[in-house]
Amino acid sequence: MDTQQQQSAIKGAKVLMVGAGGIGCELLKTLALSGFEDIHIIDMDTIEVSNLNRQFLFRRSHVGQSKAKVARDAVLRFRPHISIRSYHANVKNPEFDVDFFKQFDVILNGLDNLDARRHVNRLCLAADVPLVESGTTGFLGQVTVHVKGKTECYECQTKPAPKTYPVCTITSTPTKFVHCIVWAKELLFAKLFGDKNQDNDLNVRSNNSASSSKETEDVFERAEDEDIEQYGRKIYDHVFGSNIEAALSNEETWKNRRRPRPIYSKDVLPESLIQQNGGSQNCSVADDDSTVSAMPSLGLKNPQELWGLTQNSLVFIEALKLFFAKRKKEIGHLTFDKDDQLAVEFVTAAANIRAESFGIPLHSLFEAKGIAGNIVHAVATTNAIIAGLIVIEAIKVLKKDADKYRMTYCLEHPSRKMLLMPVEPFEPNPSCYVCSKTPLVLEINTQKSKLRDVVDKIVKAKLGMNLPLIMHGASLLYEVGDDLDDIMVANYNANLEKSLSELPSPVINGSSLTVEDLQQELSCKINVKHREEFDEEKEPEGMVLSGWTQAPATNGESASTSNNENVSDVTESSSGPEIASKKRSFSETQPENHKKEAENIESEDEDLMEIENPMIVSKKKKRVE
Amino acid sequence: MDGEELTEQETALYDRQIRVWGAGAQRRLSKSHVLVSGIKGTVAEFCKNIVLAGVGSVTLLDDRFVTSEAFNANFLILPDENAYVGKTVAEVCCDSLKEFNPMVHVSVEKGDLSTLGVEFFNKFDVVIIGYSSRATKKAVNETCRKLTKRVAFYTVDCRGSCGEIFVDLQNYKYAKKNPDETVECELTFSSFEEAVSVPWKPIPRRTAKLYFATRVIELFEETEGRKPGECSVSDLPSVLKLKKELCEGNSVSENHIPDSLLERLVSSNSEFPPACAIIGGILGQEVIKAISGKGEPLKNFFYFDAEDGKGVIEDISKA
């Protein structure tokens, strides 16, 4: 390689790094050592203790500070004469527009979520700036190069949708621990501590549900003067006892299934809980919400320890009491957060009690937290390797060495003797709706579905648009932006609640919609096809978007080299935006990734992996059953 | 296996990696002692990786005084003259590494690898020899093999954008995870001397050219009395001549080792930092595997070349 030419290409380059986490720290270090002198870095996150095992530019004293800024300062210590500019911000912010992206020679992604990756991909396409994309999970990782017109874009191949569960598996017939976690987190926790107005499938629908629904509603209401422990026991008995009994009355359900065992608090816990060690009153020193814990007062220390039914029941009651005693103000608007100790304790306990009831093996708090929080396995070595590979590709991009671009997989077990396997990149997919202008087809019931459904489930969730605008011919149906006047906003809001065929410019079979995102400079056409009926289990959204064709499977040599069963495409965190639209299914919270080799090559960094209560976010209209 | 539990602090800090290799492996890591010599770019990367992983101790051996040459690819040395003047590379790197993880004991030993005795090496579970001569690698490897306890022995080199890792785990048992069960496997490794003395003729043709090229350079440096890595493009004619002799002696064709590869190796007098990150990362991963006894270890050479981007394992053992 011509080192002289290479060095001057590196010196003169202006690069943007998106993400200063696990990959980002390694990448910034390697870029600086390699001679890059003008580096910009964006990250919205702040530093947490669990980052320190691999994000080596950060110290314990930095916890709480901006990752981008601390990373910059740390690298300037060993390379003081280069320029690094940090932005503590979300890459989706409007200031990072196409013009902003255009100033760079290459964009380097070290991101942790599908949403931001797609956003950056679109801006790179619009600004015509090459993108080097990356991801790791455990010992697996990959680096890909996306150059407009030369290689496929990040969205040329559809990303596998996250695994989802039928509602009844979660509400009535769990068979795995993850089902219990989803139930505890997205139903019970949300019901007790989240927004009361949201739909919730917590109560089983037994044969006589119509009559009992009224009274079960009241179970969750706590009277002002009701004793918290009594209230906790009432909830306990309802969800683990009578709800299970009600479900058992549905004989049909249990014909070929193991029958669950109802559990009542009086069978597990003493009549009245005597507070040990002073009880909940003084168990937490600080009033910092994230440190309130039920464990110390119960003498529980080790998060890896397996609790029995009694211990889980004690944690359940204690955690619930602490929420009311210490965090009353938050009740009504809490969502599960893996860094919220008390929430993790409550969800662990509830999931374990339910698991016990259904004969499913119990799990430790450590394991339950991983499942509930969608925590991605992460180690420093893989990130270091991937960062090295990113820099190698970035240099090729700067030298415009298009023939040498490679996507590289980092494997846990060698494949054809290789631990690092380079593969020729794919060509752009001619039917990609992002980088080519192929129209999409939307099958929908134009008389029943509202414009809001299209915006939420298709435009935002599926197409990943940030600031969308929808047009039908010359008629503007919907847009988002700061510069809209009140009348327009009122109009758009009115449109949202109308069915497609009732819109001022009716959208019917054969209509063609133009959907644009001005920030991403992405525009696509959607041809509408009216359809009367949809299968509730298979097509839970009540509409079907097609045109997401896969890239051709064969592509010369690259196909043969990538035809390896160990390797799949870049997949994404299970919190991809697709989830938000799942109407009657739950997202899987735990990709059992490092067991299934490379099936789920994920993004490094756990921190944005939260599932935002998918089924609760979506406005759900239940049909009469 | 060992009853001691991880502390609350360890569980919080190592949370994400415990989810990869388990609490048992983390405990074994925290009780292991690693000796590292020759701290240039790739080894600096390796040190960072195992300090972050949380080994019990890391002992650094590198008596070179810090010069501007030492900065290359080594982010453990801050370019502040006040901080490094009069200090050895090991001392300066030790200060930086301590900051990465206060739970790991990082220290410095002085001395020449080839003169340190058996009892010195007995203190370690893992020995890493970076950028050393062929003679030193052989000598230390033999010393480690004489110990009653098993020491995991590694050598690592990086020239320009190419690198080599050699692994000797002697007789090594490990747990291999199959879809349904975990089975115990056993491997027998060759010593460095044995592995580099294997006749070339029977080695499959598709074997990484870097294996042969590195042997040529190694021998050249030894016969010319050069320090490891101390070659330049002016040495190319002599190196090519040596290559010819070696190929003839091994009854293989001269095309076995491309001249262009040898040219790249002799003319790169500094490490390519991305290659350091990659090779140091692979080495870190292998050491973690060897300590934890989890996962199939690399046997017994690893090569990376940024030119083609391949990271290849070669098993070249005595017959």
Side-chain angles (χ1 to χ4, degrees):
Chain A
M1 81 184 72
D2 179 1
T3 40
Q4 205 67 37
Q5 182 218 344
Q6 179 161 312
Q7 272 311 314
S8 64
I10 291 172
K11 258 187 192 310
K14 185 171 186 177
V15 303
L16 173 66
M17 286 177 53
V18 190
I23 293 174
C25 280
E26 294 287 341
L27 181 55
L28 187 59
K29 171 258 300 162
T30 305
L31 284 172
L33 291 175
S34 303
F36 284 83
E37 294 185 349
D38 190 359
I39 307 168
H40 293 231
I41 180 163
I42 303 179
D43 198 308
M44 66 188 286
D45 281 346
T46 53
I47 296 158
E48 291 173 36
V49 170
S50 63
N51 301 148
L52 302 178
N53 79 318
R54 62 194 186 286
Q55 301 178 16
F56 76 103
L57 299 174
F58 309 147
R59 307 280 168 266
R60 202 163 278 268
S61 59
H62 296 136
V63 168
Q65 296 182 39
S66 154
K67 286 188 176 180
K69 183 175 182 306
V70 176
R72 169 191 180 270
D73 295 348
V75 168
L76 287 178
R77 285 179 69 203
F78 62 82
R79 285 295 179 273
H81 303 300
I82 67 171
S83 158
I84 304 175
R85 181 154 178 209
S86 64
Y87 306 81
H88 182 202
N90 187 339
V91 70
K92 289 176 81 175
N93 288 355
E95 67 259 34
F96 304 121
D97 57 7
V98 173
D99 283 336
F100 175 84
F101 274 71
K102 272 186 179 156
Q103 63 181 307
F104 299 103
D105 297 299
V106 63
I107 311 295
L108 311 174
N109 267 1
L111 278 164
D112 58 3
N113 68 96
L114 180 61
D115 206 28
R117 283 193 170 109
R118 301 208 304 178
H119 186 81
V120 172
N121 179 48
R122 290 159 190 202
L123 281 160
C124 286
L125 286 167
D128 199 8
V129 179
L131 167 67
V132 181
E133 174 61 78
S134 68
T136 67
T137 184
F139 293 119
L140 309 173
Q142 86 282 309
V143 173
T144 52
V145 188
H146 307 283
V147 182
K148 191 175 178 178
K150 289 205 167 65
T151 66
E152 63 177 3
C153 84
Y154 177 68
E155 294 173 89
C156 273
Q157 298 189 43
T158 45
K159 310 292 174 253
K163 197 169 178 181
T164 56
Y165 302 107
V167 171
C168 62
T169 304
I170 302 304
T171 58
S172 314
T173 54
T175 54
K176 291 180 184 166
F177 188 68
V178 62
H179 301 153
C180 302
I181 286 283
V182 173
W183 175 86
K185 182 177 91 161
E186 291 176 13
L187 297 182
L188 185 61
F189 184 86
K191 182 81 190 170
L192 288 170
F193 309 117
D195 185 349
K196 297 272 186 279
N197 298 322
Q198 270 162 345
D199 266 333
N200 195 306
D201 274 332
L202 186 61
N203 287 306
V204 289
R205 281 176 298 246
S206 60
N207 290 333
N208 54 353
S209 62
S211 59
S212 65
S213 71
K214 182 85 178 112
E215 70 195 66
T216 53
E217 247 343 279
D218 299 334
V219 174
F220 294 96
E221 282 304 317
R222 177 176 165 245
E224 221 16 73
D225 55 349
E226 188 172 8
D227 177 72
I228 312 175
E229 188 178 318
Q230 284 312 311
Y231 171 70
R233 282 175 176 263
K234 187 175 73 181
I235 300 294
Y236 187 108
D237 292 341
H238 177 70
V239 297
F240 302 118
S242 49
N243 249 355
I244 300 290
E245 301 244 24
L248 280 169
S249 68
N250 257 333
E251 285 299 333
E252 200 57 25
T253 313
W254 310 109
K255 263 190 176 161
N256 300 309
R257 287 190 178 89
R258 178 185 174 149
R259 295 169 68 90
R261 171 170 75 96
I263 302 174
Y264 290 94
S265 62
K266 65 175 166 34
D267 304 329
V268 181
L269 300 171
E271 202 59 36
S272 173
L273 297 176
I274 295 142
Q275 297 297 347
Q276 291 156 345
N277 311 329
S280 59
Q281 258 51 45
N282 54 5
C283 72
S284 73
V285 190
D287 267 349
D288 178 359
D289 293 341
S290 62
T291 62
V292 177
S293 169
M295 285 168 63
S297 68
L298 299 167
L300 301 170
K301 282 196 192 98
N302 183 358
Q304 312 231 18
E305 190 178 80
L306 205 57
W307 303 333
L309 177 60
T310 307
Q311 280 167 318
N312 277 298
S313 303
L314 288 167
V315 172
F316 180 92
I317 299 286
E318 183 67 17
L320 189 135
K321 281 162 74 175
L322 282 170
F323 267 115
F324 280 93
K326 302 267 180 186
R327 300 176 55 181
K328 191 140 200 241
K329 276 188 223 139
E330 298 166 73
I331 293 173
H333 28 92
L334 273 167
T335 48
F336 178 80
D337 175 357
K338 67 168 173 21
D339 296 313
D340 180 339
Q341 174 69 19
L342 197 58
V344 171
E345 291 170 0
F346 180 82
V347 164
T348 301
N352 273 330
I353 300 164
R354 186 165 172 85
E356 175 79 22
S357 177
F358 282 87
I360 296 166
L362 310 195
H363 285 67
S364 70
L365 179 106
F366 180 83
E367 294 165 314
K369 178 180 171 179
I371 299 169
N374 252 333
I375 294 175
V376 167
H377 313 96
V379 285
T381 50
T382 317
N383 290 333
I385 293 166
I386 288 301
L389 292 169
I390 294 172
V391 177
I392 289 172
E393 291 309 317
I395 293 171
K396 292 179 196 170
V397 166
L398 294 174
K399 291 164 74 184
K400 303 202 165 33
D401 242 346
D403 295 344
K404 291 190 176 167
Y405 295 163
R406 291 291 180 273
M407 45 183 179
T408 307
Y409 295 98
C410 178
L411 308 171
E412 184 172 0
H413 304 294
S415 163
R416 300 190 304 139
K417 298 198 303 189
M418 280 184 273
L419 278 178
L420 302 173
M421 191 166 74
V423 169
E424 271 185 49
F426 290 106
E427 285 173 8
N429 176 1
S431 56
C432 172
Y433 76 96
V434 178
C435 70
S436 75
K437 300 288 173 195
T438 312
L440 298 159
V441 175
L442 177 65
E443 292 176 70
I444 191 166
N445 187 325
T446 52
Q447 275 138 32
K448 286 187 182 155
S449 293
K450 292 178 178 175
L451 183 63
R452 179 184 291 285
D453 299 327
V454 176
V455 171
D456 289 348
K457 296 174 186 175
I458 302 294
V459 177
K460 286 189 181 161
K462 281 228 156 56
L463 303 183
M465 288 192 179
N466 200 26
L467 299 172
L469 172 152
I470 303 176
M471 291 203 309
H472 179 217
S475 160
L476 199 50
L477 299 176
Y478 179 72
E479 71 180 308
V480 180
D482 300 332
D483 50 347
L484 306 176
D485 63 43
D486 294 348
I487 302 168
M488 290 158 87
V489 172
N491 263 336
Y492 293 142
N493 284 339
N495 281 351
L496 281 179
E497 303 312 323
K498 288 181 182 152
S499 72
L500 297 184
S501 59
E502 292 165 353
L503 287 163
S505 161
V507 174
I508 52 169
N509 189 39
S511 294
S512 178
L513 295 174
T514 303
V515 186
E516 289 182 12
D517 186 301
L518 297 178
Q519 189 191 358
Q520 299 174 347
E521 291 198 3
L522 174 65
S523 167
C524 35
K525 266 203 156 47
I526 300 181
N527 295 330
V528 176
K529 252 170 111 172
H530 174 80
R531 193 170 124 192
E532 204 61 40
E533 295 292 335
F534 290 88
D535 183 320
E536 259 209 47
E537 286 293 327
K538 286 187 197 141
E539 301 157 334
E541 287 142 337
M543 58 187 80
V544 177
L545 184 72
S546 48
W548 310 57
T549 37
Q550 297 276 168
T554 49
N555 197 346
E557 196 199 317
S558 48
S560 60
T561 33
S562 67
N563 187 13
N564 178 299
E565 58 178 14
N566 271 339
V567 176
S568 74
D569 299 308
V570 190
T571 65
E572 243 314 316
S573 81
S574 45
S575 62
E578 280 87 347
I579 298 173
S581 63
K582 291 282 184 279
K583 181 176 157 197
R584 301 212 23 100
S585 53
F586 291 85
S587 51
E588 179 178 36
T589 50
Q590 167 75 335
E592 292 176 36
N593 38 27
H594 73 292
K595 290 176 199 150
K596 289 187 228 155
E597 183 84 355
E599 193 152 290
N600 243 322
I601 295 189
E602 291 230 3
S603 49
E604 138 65 18
D605 271 51
E606 64 291 353
D607 306 298
L608 294 176
M609 292 286 171
E610 294 310 319
I611 292 198
E612 308 229 288
N613 289 332
M615 59 96 43
I616 292 160
V617 169
S618 61
K619 273 229 160 178
K620 187 174 57 168
K621 284 272 171 213
K622 262 183 224 148
R623 268 163 234 158
V624 183
E625 293 178 353
Chain B
M1 56 177 291
D2 34 21
E4 273 179 67
E5 282 175 5
L6 296 171
T7 64
E8 211 172 308
Q9 199 187 7
E10 286 172 315
T11 309
L13 175 64
Y14 300 133
D15 183 286
R16 297 305 183 265
Q17 66 198 38
I18 291 172
R19 294 178 194 280
V20 177
W21 53 60
Q26 190 64 50
R27 274 198 298 274
R28 283 189 285 276
L29 276 172
S30 69
K31 289 184 180 140
S32 62
H33 304 285
V34 183
L35 174 70
V36 182
S37 95
I39 311 157
K40 294 189 192 175
T42 303
V43 172
E45 288 278 350
F46 165 78
C47 290
K48 169 207 68 190
N49 293 335
I50 51 156
V51 166
L52 290 173
V55 294
S57 76
V58 176
T59 304
L60 305 174
L61 203 62
D62 193 328
D63 293 345
R64 289 177 299 148
F65 283 99
V66 177
T67 59
S68 59
E69 183 256 346
F71 300 151
N72 178 268
N74 189 340
F75 57 91
L76 299 176
I77 303 175
L78 308 185
D80 172 6
E81 213 169 298
N82 298 321
Y84 70 70
V85 75
K87 286 192 176 176
T88 67
V89 170
E91 286 166 340
V92 174
C93 293
C94 178
D95 293 341
S96 296
L97 285 169
K98 277 180 178 165
E99 289 183 28
F100 290 171
N101 187 348
M103 288 193 247
V104 177
H105 182 74
V106 189
S107 63
V108 173
E109 288 272 3
K110 299 208 171 203
D112 188 342
L113 266 182
S114 45
T115 59
L116 290 163
V118 175
E119 62 288 357
F120 175 80
F121 292 99
N122 203 31
K123 293 182 282 191
F124 303 102
D125 305 293
V126 179
V127 171
I128 309 284
I129 307 299
Y131 318 90
S132 266
S133 69
R134 195 166 78 147
T136 306
K137 290 175 182 175
K138 283 182 188 174
V140 176
N141 188 208
E142 288 316 311
T143 309
C144 291
R145 283 190 153 237
K146 281 188 202 129
L147 298 170
T148 44
K149 74 179 210 185
R150 189 177 54 79
V151 172
F153 176 87
Y154 299 83
T155 75
V156 59
D157 289 275
C158 179
R159 292 165 200 268
S161 56
C162 300
E164 176 187 80
I165 297 173
F166 165 78
V167 185
D168 175 17
L169 303 180
Q170 302 175 44
N171 287 313
Y172 181 75
K173 290 197 179 92
Y174 67 99
K176 188 178 179 181
K177 257 195 177 169
N178 286 337
D180 311 316
E181 34 159 22
T182 302
V183 288
E184 188 163 270
C185 299
E186 191 168 356
L187 291 171
T188 304
F189 287 74
S190 294
S191 70
F192 183 76
E193 166 120 53
E194 290 162 346
V196 299
S197 314
V198 173
W200 291 1
K201 186 84 180 160
I203 297 177
R205 253 199 91 79
R206 291 184 57 121
T207 301
K209 302 294 179 213
L210 269 171
Y211 169 79
F212 306 104
T214 311
R215 304 287 79 79
V216 174
I217 304 277
E218 226 170 42
L219 188 61
F220 174 80
E221 287 172 346
E222 188 170 277
T223 51
E224 296 285 310
R226 304 284 181 86
K227 278 188 190 157
E230 220 179 52
C231 294
S232 73
V233 77
S234 62
D235 294 318
L236 189 61
S238 329
V239 169
L240 292 179
K241 189 164 156 276
L242 185 60
K243 168 192 111 163
K244 192 164 182 264
E245 289 165 21
L246 276 171
C247 287
E248 278 168 5
N250 277 288
S251 339
V252 297
S253 137
E254 260 190 80
N255 325 335
H256 217 71
I257 313 169
D259 290 357
S260 57
L261 179 57
L262 286 169
E263 187 178 347
R264 278 206 286 137
L265 292 176
V266 294
S267 55
S268 20
N269 42 23
S270 63
E271 295 171 273
F272 182 47
C276 298
I278 291 164
I279 300 158
I282 297 282
L283 183 60
Q285 227 148 275
E286 287 305 317
V287 166
I288 290 163
K289 271 193 226 168
I291 295 170
S292 63
K294 277 195 166 178
E296 188 173 1
L298 192 165
K299 180 173 184 280
N300 55 345
F301 286 93
F302 174 81
Y303 292 97
F304 177 75
D305 185 350
E307 193 70 14
D308 63 14
K310 285 180 188 164
V312 187
I313 297 172
E314 298 292 357
D315 186 350
I316 301 167
S317 305
K318 71 169 177 185

